[in-house]
Amino acid sequence: MSKPLLIVESPTKVKTLKKYLGNDYNVAATAGHIKDLPQKELGIDIENNFKAEYLNIKGKSKVIQDLKSAAGATDTVYLAPDPDREGEAIAFHAAEILKKKGRKFYRVLIHELTKKGIAEALSNPTELNADKYEAQQTRRTLDRLVGYLISPLLWRRVQGSLSAGRVQSVAVKIICDREREIRAFISEEYWTITADLLAEVPPIFSAALVRHKGRKINIPNEKKASQIIKELESSDFTVDKITIKTLNKNPLPPFITSKLQQDAINRLKFSAKKTMSVAQQLYEGIEIGTGGPEGLITYMRTDSTRIAAEAANEALMLIKDKFGAEYAMDKPRFFKNKNNAQDAHEAIRPTSVFNTPGKVQPYLTQDQFKLYDLIWKRFVASQMSPAVIDQKNVAIAAGEYTFNVGGNTIKFQGFMALYSYADDKPDNDDKSGGKDEEGSSGNGEKSGEKERQVIPELEEGMKLDANKIIPMQHFTKPPPRFSEASLVKELEENGIGRPSTYATILSTIRDKGYVDLVKKYFVPNELGFIVNELLVASFPEILDAAFTAQMENNLDNIESGSRKFLEVLNDFYAPFKVRLSNATENMLNVKGVGIPTDLKCPLCGRQINIKIGKNGHFIACTGYPECSFSSNYTRDEKGNIQIHENIASSDLTPVKDCDKCGKPMVKKEGRYGEFLACTGYPECKNTESLYAIEPVKSTDIHCPIQGCTGMIVSKKSRRGKDFYGCDKYPDCDFASWDKPVNKACHKCSSPYLVEKETKKDGLLLACPVKGCDYKETR
């Protein structure tokens, strides 16, 4: 009797599974999806209830043949792709390919690649989940309809190769909307005042002015600040009230996908994509000296904080042994899921807490260790005792004014001995002033005190000496741009996408050229703004965050069996079809008419529009062809258009006369930089390199070509790069990017050497002949 076949998604898992299953099973991998919609056509029969045409993926023929060979004559196939919607689709497609009379298929959900996890999964096989498969198919159909029906409009109206996406376009809109907020922001001046105070005993400490006559103070300008300081200089400073609270601070739950990505971005400086790639490696199995690969973490695509009681109890055992009984809870701590959490998988945790970071570090790469260390600490900390913190707040009276100083003292570290909240906060530039993840917002006032300052023993009624009163000017700041971490958080909070899609969304919007990552923050470029405006005007629902979130809920409902896929698709397509028809007729043509601006042409006074050509975006006069003015442009920090052209009085500055028609030639800027263009365009289309008019620079080097009597000169290429050529050109075509030197090669008899400069060797002479490695110091 043939052995049963176990099919997984990733080839990496095969070795891990064989370690535990031995020769009892054949194990094979699909290497991802094996079927998909056709690449060059829609592949959806809309009129036939959105029937999808799935084809074997090109290049997967060998994989499919290997699966059939591995199945052989077996009558039992266990389908164990990843336990999510995409995995379910792979399982269904594998079953379709291997379908055979008398052969039975079972779905196996492996949440952790350990001996115990694999045994439990194989002991509890289920049927293929038709609802989960329909949810994946519905998502794929929606994405195909949006992408394949809207994208051609962008090709015709904007430029080729552009694309629209059901989720990616919403993410771009979020980034564009934030950039508009930043551009529209008007900074306002405000002042703060702090006092350096001295009690009966040192040290001096700082307190911040927070109230006037019991109301929160606002100091708008220097005049008001000076007035307040004058009053304070004649006031007595007295300790008015001391408040001490003891707080119990609980740990965060174990990671879900979005929180893992945010934490890895902030703490480890990983990208979301890198985080998921490394997590996949830890899940699929790594050799740690146990005789074969072993999965180190549970499945990494989850929005559930649920954990197995057995894992929690194991953590409590380790905590008692490693930290002491006082650091462990009396019983496991469990966390409540959010309302829309799927709860199909546990939270991300180590498969065994006894695989401590120190124990496995020798077997892991640096990146694997960093991420595993983060996951391990977060999970173990979630089962540790609360931290006990004394929070001290001192109110200091100075006439009608109140100063405030506060500080925290940790009485008992609890979980903070392993995992500190302080490390969990994002970079300073990414803070928006809201509450942090654990819901704490401090004392609710700007205390202004120096970090970690020591406050002397104080008593109510105690007099204080004002050593110095310090005013400081500030300006309000616009909302921050999105980093990868804050964009993931924004998508999660708005219900856009799902844990498995965040990393892909962030990669896609960059790859499509709509946004740039500048100093780790997303900035929409001009193409992103243009495409976003067109899509918002033509498809407002598609780009609405609430609509997209509701569609995600619909997919969840299909998976749970509470909605039918055809109902969801019909509800979506009916209004979408109307929008698509209107857009086909009315979407603005940026290639032709262009986007109107409020600028006037410097040559004729007509309106200037934004257009897109083969070299990118530019502005052009609407009076074309009577007026041929066009220019590249940028935008200032407020979004105002800045024209690049050099305008002299009412005309472009002539550089030379055209060799073909005699009309003036002017500087223009194209894909490769500045060039000369004839003002007689379009009748005369003559262009020249800007550098062709620059004089060549002579050298004292003779042309190395045998028989040539020319001298080497320094020239500029069409793109402005320096090179060296013979002044007898075109009779002699010698050219070199490197400066020639009249010195023969001692190894191959080349008549000349060239100057090279490297970081390692500095300036040297090298032979230009291919295959000759001769070089000498200069």
Side-chain angles (χ1 to χ4, degrees):
M1 184 176 177
S2 298
K3 291 185 289 187
L5 172 64
L6 177 66
I7 295 177
V8 291
E9 184 174 330
S10 167
T12 310
K13 294 179 185 177
V14 173
K15 191 175 179 181
T16 307
L17 287 161
K18 283 184 175 179
K19 169 189 172 182
Y20 296 112
L21 298 176
N23 294 319
D24 295 336
Y25 292 80
N26 285 328
V27 185
T30 65
H33 283 279
I34 52 177
K35 285 192 169 189
D36 198 5
L37 296 169
Q39 284 191 344
K40 296 185 178 181
E41 54 187 90
L42 183 62
I44 305 292
D45 188 348
I46 298 172
E47 303 302 322
N48 188 17
N49 291 331
F50 302 94
K51 184 178 180 180
E53 179 190 8
Y54 275 84
L55 307 175
N56 293 346
I57 295 175
K58 189 176 181 180
K60 285 295 184 80
S61 300
K62 186 177 186 306
V63 172
I64 292 171
Q65 187 57 47
D66 288 346
L67 289 174
K68 291 179 178 179
S69 298
T74 187
D75 59 2
T76 305
V77 177
Y78 292 98
L79 301 164
D82 288 349
D84 55 18
R85 288 176 191 163
E86 296 304 310
E88 202 66 34
I90 293 171
F92 263 83
H93 292 155
E96 287 177 9
I97 286 173
L98 300 178
K99 189 176 181 181
K100 181 180 177 182
K101 186 176 180 181
R103 180 174 285 168
K104 294 182 179 180
F105 295 90
Y106 300 96
R107 184 73 167 105
V108 175
L109 303 177
I110 302 176
H111 297 284
E112 58 180 79
L113 283 164
T114 60
K115 183 175 182 179
K116 174 176 170 293
I118 295 166
E120 283 185 357
L122 288 171
S123 299
N124 298 282
T126 65
E127 298 295 322
L128 286 162
N129 189 328
D131 290 332
K132 182 178 283 189
Y133 178 54
E134 281 197 350
Q136 191 275 343
Q137 297 284 279
T138 306
R139 194 273 305 165
R140 193 75 183 89
T141 300
L142 288 169
D143 290 349
R144 178 55 65 102
L145 291 173
V146 171
Y148 273 52
L149 296 180
I150 295 180
S151 296
L153 289 176
L154 298 178
W155 304 341
R156 294 192 292 269
R157 308 299 173 92
V158 186
Q159 71 179 32
S161 77
L162 297 181
S163 71
R166 185 179 60 86
V167 178
Q168 77 178 47
S169 296
V170 180
V172 172
K173 180 178 183 295
I174 288 172
I175 295 170
C176 289
D177 288 347
R178 176 59 59 87
E179 194 68 20
R180 289 190 183 93
E181 286 183 61
I182 294 170
R183 290 177 175 181
F185 183 83
I186 299 174
S187 183
E188 295 181 0
E189 179 186 12
Y190 72 96
W191 287 68
T192 57
I193 295 174
T194 57
D196 285 352
L197 303 172
L198 180 63
E200 295 173 355
V201 294
I204 291 174
F205 64 96
S206 295
L209 177 60
V210 293
R211 295 185 180 276
H212 179 238
K213 294 183 178 180
R215 295 184 177 180
K216 187 176 180 180
I217 196 164
N218 178 41
I219 310 173
N221 50 48
E222 185 178 13
K223 181 180 178 181
K224 182 66 175 176
S226 299
Q227 176 191 328
I228 293 171
I229 290 173
K230 190 173 181 180
E231 294 179 39
L232 290 171
E233 287 174 342
S234 60
S235 301
D236 294 328
F237 285 73
T238 307
V239 177
D240 183 46
K241 187 177 182 180
I242 300 175
T243 306
I244 300 176
K245 295 180 180 179
T246 299
L247 304 175
N248 286 341
K249 197 168 191 177
N250 289 316
L252 295 169
F255 283 125
I256 59 175
T257 304
S258 59
K259 294 296 186 285
L260 175 63
Q261 290 174 354
Q262 292 168 46
D263 221 23
I265 291 165
N266 288 327
R267 295 190 186 216
L268 308 181
K269 308 306 177 187
F270 286 8
S271 66
K273 185 177 181 180
K274 179 178 179 178
T275 301
M276 297 310 292
S277 175
V278 176
Q280 183 90 27
Q281 295 164 17
L282 295 173
Y283 165 69
E284 290 184 344
I286 292 171
E287 170 61 64
I288 58 170
T290 56
E294 184 173 333
L296 293 181
I297 65 171
T298 55
Y299 191 58
M300 64 285 160
R301 295 186 181 93
T302 177
D303 57 0
S304 170
T305 55
R306 175 176 59 83
I307 55 174
E310 183 180 351
N313 284 315
E314 189 181 78
L316 291 178
M317 290 172 58
L318 178 134
I319 293 164
K320 290 174 184 176
D321 180 63
K322 188 177 178 66
F323 294 94
E326 68 273 22
Y327 282 86
M329 299 288 291
D330 293 333
K331 59 182 181 180
R333 179 189 284 115
F334 298 106
F335 298 87
K336 188 176 180 180
N337 279 323
K338 291 182 179 180
N339 291 334
N340 62 346
Q342 293 303 290
D343 203 37
H345 322 292
E346 285 188 63
I348 304 168
R349 61 168 177 83
T351 54
S352 171
V353 294
F354 297 113
N355 284 329
T356 62
K359 178 182 175 182
V360 301
Q361 185 174 11
Y363 305 98
L364 305 181
T365 66
Q366 187 176 17
D367 288 341
Q368 289 169 346
F369 171 74
K370 286 180 178 179
L371 193 64
Y372 181 74
D373 183 63
L374 195 65
I375 293 168
W376 188 91
K377 286 180 176 177
R378 174 94 163 210
F379 172 68
V380 175
S382 75
Q383 298 304 311
M384 294 177 73
S385 300
V388 181
I389 299 171
D390 280 347
Q391 189 178 76
K392 186 176 184 179
N393 190 69
V394 181
I396 299 166
E400 297 178 337
Y401 297 94
T402 302
F403 284 75
N404 190 77
V405 62
N408 294 334
T409 303
I410 299 175
K411 288 183 67 177
F412 175 65
Q413 279 190 307
F415 75 91
M416 293 176 68
L418 184 64
Y419 184 99
S420 172
Y421 275 151
D423 296 332
D424 196 50
K425 294 179 181 178
D427 298 334
N428 289 335
D429 290 342
D430 199 38
K431 291 179 183 176
S432 58
K435 293 184 178 181
D436 45 27
E437 186 177 337
E438 59 271 25
S440 171
S441 57
N443 58 23
E445 295 177 344
K446 294 179 182 177
S447 63
E449 70 268 22
K450 297 175 183 176
E451 289 187 8
R452 298 186 180 88
Q453 66 172 330
V454 178
I455 302 172
E457 287 296 323
L458 302 173
E459 295 178 0
E460 293 183 1
M462 180 182 286
K463 300 291 184 183
L464 304 172
D465 292 328
N467 187 62
K468 188 187 294 183
I469 299 175
I470 308 162
M472 187 172 290
Q473 183 187 39
H474 307 272
F475 292 91
T476 54
K477 294 182 179 180
R481 293 188 173 106
F482 289 105
S483 65
E484 282 205 340
S486 59
L487 184 56
V488 167
K489 186 176 182 181
E490 185 78 7
L491 294 172
E492 179 190 22
E493 290 178 348
N494 284 280
I496 299 168
R498 282 295 178 262
S500 59
T501 63
Y502 295 139
T504 304
I505 293 168
L506 269 56
S507 297
T508 300
I509 60 177
R510 288 180 62 194
D511 294 342
K512 296 298 182 182
Y514 296 138
V515 301
D516 302 311
L517 199 61
V518 180
K519 295 180 179 179
K520 299 183 180 180
Y521 292 90
F522 286 109
V523 181
N525 54 39
E526 193 68 8
L527 179 63
F529 268 120
I530 290 170
V531 171
N532 178 69
E533 287 179 8
L534 294 178
L535 293 180
V536 169
S538 297
F539 303 95
E541 294 87 2
I542 298 294
L543 272 76
D544 179 65
F547 177 85
T548 305
Q550 182 56 51
M551 191 57 67
E552 296 293 345
N553 289 334
N554 290 340
L555 296 177
D556 293 342
N557 292 334
I558 292 172
E559 181 173 340
S560 67
S562 58
R563 288 202 72 179
K564 295 299 181 183
F565 82 97
L566 194 55
E567 176 189 353
V568 171
L569 289 175
N570 281 324
D571 288 348
F572 166 81
Y573 188 72
F576 175 71
K577 182 179 179 181
V578 175
R579 290 284 187 187
L580 187 66
S581 177
N582 289 336
T584 303
E585 295 294 326
N586 303 316
M587 181 183 277
L588 192 65
N589 191 332
V590 186
K591 288 182 178 179
V593 176
I595 300 172
T597 72
D598 56 2
L599 298 179
K600 299 299 180 183
C601 176
L603 301 186
C604 70
R606 294 184 180 94
Q607 180 176 291
I608 290 175
N609 284 1
I610 294 172
K611 295 190 174 188
I612 288 186
K614 63 180 180 180
N615 296 330
H617 58 85
F618 64 99
I619 52 174
C621 181
T622 54
Y624 178 84
E626 290 81 11
C627 178
S628 61
F629 172 78
S630 66
S631 170
N632 283 348
Y633 69 94
T634 54
R635 293 186 184 268
D636 62 19
E637 61 181 14
K638 291 296 182 182
N640 300 313
I641 290 175
Q642 304 291 304
I643 298 176
H644 278 197
E645 288 289 2
N646 179 25
I647 306 297
S649 64
S650 62
D651 203 348
L652 293 169
T653 305
V655 177
K656 59 170 285 190
D657 291 336
C658 176
D659 295 334
K660 293 186 177 180
C661 71
K663 291 184 179 180
M665 298 192 80
V666 295
K667 286 184 182 180
K668 296 266 185 182
E669 190 169 350
R671 180 185 301 179
Y672 304 117
E674 291 184 318
F675 66 97
L676 296 179
C678 181
T679 54
Y681 182 85
E683 288 78 15
C684 179
K685 298 180 180 179
N686 185 29
T687 62
E688 291 182 15
S689 168
L690 181 64
Y691 305 104
I693 63 171
E694 294 187 3
V696 297
K697 299 176 182 177
S698 61
T699 71
D700 59 355
I701 304 168
H702 292 282
C703 179
I705 300 299
Q706 189 173 5
C708 179
T709 59
M711 300 292 290
I712 297 299
V713 292
S714 174
K715 299 181 178 182
K716 293 271 190 182
S717 71
R718 287 182 63 85
R719 300 187 187 181
K721 186 176 179 180
D722 291 320
F723 75 98
Y724 296 88
C726 181
D727 64 2
K728 295 295 185 181
Y729 179 82
D731 296 326
C732 177
D733 61 359
F734 172 81
S736 170
W737 292 117
D738 302 307
K739 185 178 180 180
V741 176
N742 284 327
K743 192 171 185 179
C745 175
H746 296 309
K747 192 171 184 179
C748 73
S749 301
S750 168
Y752 72 101
L753 301 176
V754 294
E755 287 186 355
K756 295 269 189 184
E757 187 169 8
T758 67
K759 289 182 179 180
K760 180 180 178 182
D761 301 319
L763 189 64
L764 51 83
L765 297 180
C767 180
V769 176
K770 189 174 182 180
C772 181
D773 58 1
Y774 177 77
K775 59 184 176 182
E776 62 181 67
T777 56
R778 184 73 163 112

